[in-house]
């Protein structure tokens, strides 16, 4: 697939013409709810300078979309919350500084689930981020606006943030690629905080190849990321949790993926991962709530000049408000409960994944990114039907991405475009720690095999 980035690099597309096209498209497609703020004048000025000036780096002249919890100097940073609408940072986040140094241009700030506390990107003050594949359905979250922008062709690439799946879930639901790097791989300064041990910025793009370039810049890592031969690859396939249950559409695509990879010669090894069914309940949520209670209230006070408790009434989404009450008045997760959650993470999840990789020789764990495709905005934002049961939307959509996130693994979702008509479905790869470039190489291979469909 020829992308805007490859065309810019080849000189067959100017930054100004691309930026003008994207701005016009974003203005026409305002009903999709992709952008909260469009920085049209500054983006066009920087595009004009890029076309006239020397090449600054591998992203020269590329307009990108940025989730509205990542600071961009001079633009509001709402984090999807009306209470923060007046907060305008005077400095770029460290990740934005790296992207600008490589030649990228910030097109605007994108919609998201309020305060990044959800998986649908609906219910906030800026309206839902709609799924371009079916605008009556949500894009997923919490980085839904960036996914909408990339999937709709309103931005060639963008940034989200991922604590438990917030890059990969919306990427999968909208049919694009998304990467959660090993926690700590990218700089985190200048981001609305939730969990210091779980939060990370993650890039989103139409193809894995574009993610490779974005990762090169964000991680300052020029190491190789090349597709291996199919017969060189071993993938661990969980026989529980990740596939129990699946929506019929997701199950159909999942079986198609397994057939394609097996036919190509990839070795698929069945495994049982340790206690992943309770990973979020026993470790993920307690860690996030405890750490958010020690970071987020102070951030909100500095950003707004108000006491955090006074901001609760200005939170739109009822579930987000309920969670924030636990953050602002932290009584739910004691220090001892937090330490116990860290112990579960290290003793059960981290050691368990390490054992799986060691014993099987697997290069990654393979699974459906989400158990089901995107739900309807009018009926499925709080509870979603799966296998004949109405289930809470948030834990259902992060069911598969959560365990690896708690363990701080790098994770990648690849779109499956060869499985016939229907809502987008993604297939995910979680790899050992600090093997991000090898993971991206695996993604290139999986993407190529699935594009071919055989």
């Amino acid at each position: 697939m020829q992308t805007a980035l490859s065309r810019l690099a080849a000189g067959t597309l100017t930054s100004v013409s691309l930026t003008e096209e994207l701005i016009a498209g974003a203005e026409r497609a305002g009903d999709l709810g992709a952008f909260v703020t469009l920085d049209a004048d500054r983006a066009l000025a920087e595009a004009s300078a890029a076309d006239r000036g020397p090449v600054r780096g591998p992203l020269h002249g590329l307009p990108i979309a940025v989730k509205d919890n990542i600071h961009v100097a001079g633009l509001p940073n709402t984090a999807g919350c009306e209470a923060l609408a007046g907060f305008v940072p005077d400095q770029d986040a460290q990740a934005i500084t790296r992207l600008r140094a490589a030649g990228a241009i910030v097109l605007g700030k994108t919609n998201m689930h309020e305060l990044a506390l959800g998986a649908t990107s609906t219910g906030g003050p800026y309206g839902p981020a709609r799924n371009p594949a079916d605008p009556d359905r949500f894009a997923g979250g919490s980085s839904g606006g960036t996914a909408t922008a990339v999937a709709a062709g309103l931005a060639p690439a963008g940034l989200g943030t991922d604590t438990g799946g917030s890059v990969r879930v919306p990427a999968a639901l909208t049919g694009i690629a998304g990467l959660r790097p090993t926690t700590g791989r990218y700089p985190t300064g200048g981001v609305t905080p939730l969990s210091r041990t779980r939060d990370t910025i993650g890039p989103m793009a139409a193809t894995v190849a574009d993610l490779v370039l974005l990762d090169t810049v964000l991680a300052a890592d020029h190491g190789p990321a090349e597709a291996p031969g199919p017969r060189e690859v071993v993938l661990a396939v969980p026989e529980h949790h990740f596939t129990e249950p699946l929506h019929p559409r997701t199950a159909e695509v999942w079986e198609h993926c397994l057939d394609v990879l097996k036919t190509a010669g990839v070795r698929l090894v069945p495994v049982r991962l340790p206690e992943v069914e309770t990973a979020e309940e026993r470790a993920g949520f307690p860690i996030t709530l405890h750490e958010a209670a020690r970071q987020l209230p102070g951030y909100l006070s500095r950003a707004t000049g108000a006491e955090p408790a006074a901001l609760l009434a200005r939170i739109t989404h009822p579930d987000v408000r309920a969670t924030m009450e636990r953050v602002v008045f932290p009584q739910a997760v004691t220090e001892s409960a937090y330490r116990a959650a860290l112990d579960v993470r290290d003793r059960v999840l981290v050691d368990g994944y390490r054992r799986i990789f060691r014993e099987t020789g697997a290069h990654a764990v393979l699974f459906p990114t989400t158990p089901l495709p995107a739900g309807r905005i009018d009926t499925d934002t709080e509870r979603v039907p799966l296998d004949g049961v109405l289930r809470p939307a948030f834990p259902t959509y992060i069911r598969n991405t959560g365990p690896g996130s708690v363990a701080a693994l790098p994770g990648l979702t690849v779109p499956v475009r060869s499985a016939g008509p229907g809502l987008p479905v993604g297939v995910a790869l979680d790899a050992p720690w600090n093997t991000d470039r090898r993971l991206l190489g695996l993604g290139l291979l999986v993407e190529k095999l699935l594009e071919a469909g055989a």
Side-chain angles (χ1 to χ4, degrees):
M1 178 188 295
Q2 191 176 40
T3 64
L5 189 51
S6 61
R7 293 173 64 200
L8 281 171
T12 60
L13 180 67
T14 68
S15 182
V16 165
S17 63
L18 173 59
T19 303
E20 288 176 337
E21 177 186 332
L22 295 173
I23 291 169
E27 290 172 345
R28 285 194 304 269
D31 289 348
L32 286 177
F35 287 94
V36 173
T37 304
L38 198 60
D39 197 15
D41 290 344
R42 182 163 60 163
L44 282 170
E46 292 181 3
S48 178
D51 286 341
R52 295 194 312 270
V55 174
R56 297 179 62 191
L59 305 180
H60 186 77
L62 181 75
I64 60 167
V66 178
K67 185 178 180 180
D68 206 18
N69 63 344
I70 301 170
H71 294 186
V72 174
L75 295 184
N77 190 85
T78 74
C81 182
E82 187 271 337
L84 283 166
F87 172 47
V88 180
D90 58 8
Q91 287 187 320
D92 285 337
Q94 293 168 282
I96 300 298
T97 299
R98 287 190 177 184
L99 292 174
R100 288 195 193 279
I105 297 164
V106 175
L107 186 62
K109 303 294 293 295
T110 54
N111 203 355
M112 57 181 284
H113 203 105
E114 200 167 15
L115 293 172
L117 290 169
T120 62
S121 296
T122 61
Y126 304 106
R130 296 181 180 272
N131 197 316
D134 179 352
D136 290 331
R137 296 177 182 270
F138 48 71
S142 62
S143 308
T146 299
T148 297
V150 174
L154 310 179
L159 294 186
T161 60
D162 193 307
T163 301
S166 289
V167 162
R168 293 157 294 158
V169 167
L173 297 185
T174 59
I176 63 173
L179 172 70
R180 174 198 170 88
T182 299
T183 306
R185 179 171 171 83
Y186 298 166
T188 57
V191 179
T192 306
L194 279 182
S195 169
R196 63 179 179 81
T197 63
R198 298 189 62 192
D199 291 349
T200 179
I201 285 172
M204 305 164 80
T207 68
V208 177
D210 281 355
L211 293 183
V212 171
L213 287 174
L214 290 161
D215 177 76
T216 297
V217 171
L218 289 165
D221 184 349
H222 295 272
E226 300 170 351
R231 297 186 182 281
E232 301 170 22
V233 175
V234 180
L235 299 177
V237 181
E239 294 187 311
H240 65 117
H241 182 71
F242 298 86
T243 56
E244 297 176 357
L246 293 178
H247 184 280
R249 165 67 178 166
T250 306
E252 173 191 13
V253 175
W254 173 239
E255 291 302 323
H256 167 77
C257 291
L258 295 178
D259 289 344
V260 168
L261 297 177
K262 213 179 311 182
T263 299
V266 175
R267 184 180 164 211
L268 304 177
V269 181
V271 297
R272 188 167 189 90
L273 291 162
E275 300 183 41
V276 288
E277 291 84 354
T278 57
E280 284 293 345
E281 178 185 352
R282 297 179 62 203
F285 289 136
I287 290 170
T288 300
L289 283 174
H290 183 87
E291 293 180 349
R294 279 143 187 81
Q295 297 182 98
L296 190 51
Y299 174 93
L300 294 174
S301 292
R302 292 189 296 273
T304 65
E307 288 298 316
L311 303 177
L312 291 175
R314 300 175 67 186
I315 293 174
T316 304
H317 199 289
D319 282 356
V320 174
R321 190 182 308 116
T323 301
M324 282 302 297
E325 286 173 354
R326 300 177 70 188
V327 169
V328 173
F329 306 111
Q331 298 145 351
V333 183
T334 64
E335 185 67 25
S336 61
Y338 173 63
R339 295 296 168 191
L342 291 176
D343 180 65
V344 170
R345 180 196 65 185
D346 295 341
R347 179 176 48 80
V348 177
L349 290 169
V350 172
D351 287 353
Y353 274 104
R354 186 176 287 126
R355 175 178 54 78
I356 289 291
F357 289 129
R358 182 178 66 248
E359 291 179 357
T360 65
H363 300 101
V365 180
L366 177 76
F367 53 91
T369 311
T370 61
L372 71 170
R376 294 183 60 85
I377 293 169
D378 58 352
T379 58
D380 300 336
T381 57
E382 303 300 328
R383 299 176 74 80
V384 290
L386 179 62
D387 197 34
V389 178
L390 276 177
R391 305 168 191 263
F394 185 22
T396 300
Y397 275 102
I398 69 166
R399 185 190 80 188
N400 290 0
T401 56
S405 303
V406 177
L409 298 174
L412 173 70
T413 183
V414 179
V416 185
R417 299 189 177 102
S418 59
L423 291 169
V425 173
V427 61
L429 297 157
D430 278 358
W433 302 265
N434 300 311
T435 62
D436 300 65
R437 299 299 279 183
R438 187 173 72 180
L439 171 63
L440 287 163
L442 291 172
L444 290 171
L445 171 66
V446 171
E447 182 178 55
K448 177 183 175 182
L449 294 176
L450 293 178
E451 286 282 357

